[in-house]
Amino acid sequence: MTASTDPASDPSADAASGPGAPETPTAAASSSSSLGRNSIVMAAGTAASRLGGLVRNLMLVAAIGATGTVADAFDVANKLPNVLFAILAGGMLNAVLVPQIVKAFRAHNAQERVDKLLTISAVGILAITAVLTGGAAWVVMLYTDGWSAEQLALGTVFAYWCIPQLFFYGLYTLLGQVLNAREQFGPFMWAPVANNVVSVLGFGIFLIVFGGADAGINDLSGWNTPRTILLAGTATLGIVAQALVLLVPLLRSGFRWNLRFGLRGIGLRSAGAVAMWTFAAVVLEQAGVLYLTRVASEAGAASTATESFAGNASYTQALLIYLLPHSLVTVSIATALFTGISKAAQEGDTDKVRDDLSLGLRTIGVFTVFATAALVVLAGPLTAFIVPTAGAEDTALIAPVLVALSFGLVPLGGMALMKWVYYAYEDGRSVFWITVPSTVALVAGLVAAQLWLEPQYWVIAAGGAYALSNWITVLLRTGGLKRKLDGRLDGGRIFALHAKTVLAAAVAGGAGWGVYQLVGGFDALVFGKGWVLAMLSGLWVTALCGLVMLAVYVLLLRLFRVRELDGLLRPVLARFRR
């Protein structure tokens, strides 16, 4: 289960020469190279936006901290448009819009069909946004537990400013899907840079005018309207910029969106069942996120004057770091494969779907297994490097949550790609039923934590429950896809690849841990002398230990003859040779 709705092109050549045929070296190289070229373009944009996002997050934490009443109140309010978008639009857009746009561009009345799809979706999201903004107070109360009246009031005011982001998230997704369908991949991945620029400027002004998190930020009696407008208004204005900037490449390419109303002739009748099941699956998935948010809010509210506990904001900081590998590499690879898989599914080419899925899972696995080991071993210095304004106390609260989440990184990549295969076959029903046990596992883990653990451990347990739900999801989706793809899923090669990478990552992780302890562990990080020193200390510890881990990992994969490593390295090495 992903935290948010986290698009598409035909990149890779057939990996096999026929049904069930083994992948030849030539075919493998062609497919991997094509995948690498397309994913590297999107990865570059994603990397730039993520780098800007880290600066944005650094400024935000400097302004309001990573724990405390204000940080938790803003975190919940600013998270609401993401959650609401996933519930009310994200699932249906990913399940319905992408396949329908692919079909629309192949139809004789392509412009009319695309215009109607975009108009209906945009108007629907706008209406939903207006209703939810009006009910902000009830929405905030639904997602929190244990907060004081003052904190609830602040969270509600933040929500009035933040929930309108929902419409612009929807607009960003709509325009981005059109760009991807037209094989313009870069803008969709680069657009978040506009959000980051606006946010960094706004949060920077906040710091200049009102001071940082250490300037009595959690004294709610001193909080006023200008602070609210500048903080929450900046966050929303960034999303507005992220959406509207996509109009530039669309207009330059000659595409025009004309407002056209009507459902006739756009293929939604055949997609109705998919939309219904997808909507139900997303609602169920986000019900688990809702309960997790309530547990985290209660844990944060249990903090005392002498001891702070991890709450919503701490969980979000850990989640941000955890999702970096997924967003930088996994999403780029999956995005590059999705439209090709969708076309193959529509044409009944099961072998092509199986080969692309296998290639994606194996290539993603090479990266995510190593990333898991790196996050587990280096959670402390990574947090200090990425969120240097958090300070020693908050870093110590975030790092254990990150470790717990990290064990769900490998299945996260696999389950994301697998879900898109279900959608390519317009099968939302299976996605829903698989979501049931994974959500039950998440909620059960949270309930167990509340029953048997002290509040200071609840958010760590939430990370572990989240990871467990990911494993349940990927295992169930594996079984379902095996049946859908004529009883074969290339399981032997996928399992063998992951077995080799896990062994290599375990050895690499042991080497990295040894170096980490040799340099002093957490005590090697410098806090209390400014965030620049905290960042630099986190950087050198992460770089030293990470390079040792990477060298060991790559060496072992070479010894194990893991060819999928080349699919990740070839595009990068080619650029260095130029």
Side-chain angles (χ1 to χ4, degrees), residues 399-458:
V401 183
L402 176 59
V403 171
L405 283 168
S406 299
F407 289 103
L409 185 61
V410 172
L412 177 64
M415 64 191 247
L417 182 57
M418 288 179 178
K419 181 167 72 172
W420 289 357
V421 176
Y422 279 105
Y423 288 158
Y425 282 101
E426 298 186 356
D427 181 6
R429 180 171 182 168
S430 297
V431 173
F432 169 77
W433 287 113
I434 290 171
T435 304
V436 174
S438 67
T439 302
V440 169
L442 174 64
V443 174
L446 293 168
V447 171
Q450 289 179 293
L451 289 175
W452 298 325
L453 299 176
E454 296 297 319
Q456 60 263 42
Y457 302 114
W458 288 358

Side-chain angles (χ1 to χ4, degrees), residues 54 64 69 145 149 161 234 255 294 348 350 366 377 384 397 468 529:
L54 294 179
I64 61 174
T69 53
D145 191 16
W161 284 89
T234 290
F255 178 82
R294 288 179 61 87
T350 303
V366 170
V377 173
L397 292 175
L468 175 62
K529 296 182 180 180

Side-chain angles (χ1 to χ4, degrees), residues 205-229:
I205 294 172
F206 185 97
L207 283 166
I208 293 171
V209 175
F210 299 112
D214 54 354
I217 196 73
N218 290 310
D219 181 8
L220 298 186
S221 62
W223 195 271
N224 54 28
T225 300
R227 288 189 177 195
T228 299
I229 294 175

Side-chain angles (χ1 to χ4, degrees), residues 40 60 86 161 167 204 216 225 232 238 258 281 291 293 321 391 394 419 469 477 501:
I40 200 73
L60 177 62
W161 284 89
F167 172 73
T225 300
N258 303 304
Y291 191 71
T293 304
I321 302 171
D394 287 353
K419 181 167 72 172
S469 71
R477 286 181 182 170
T501 55

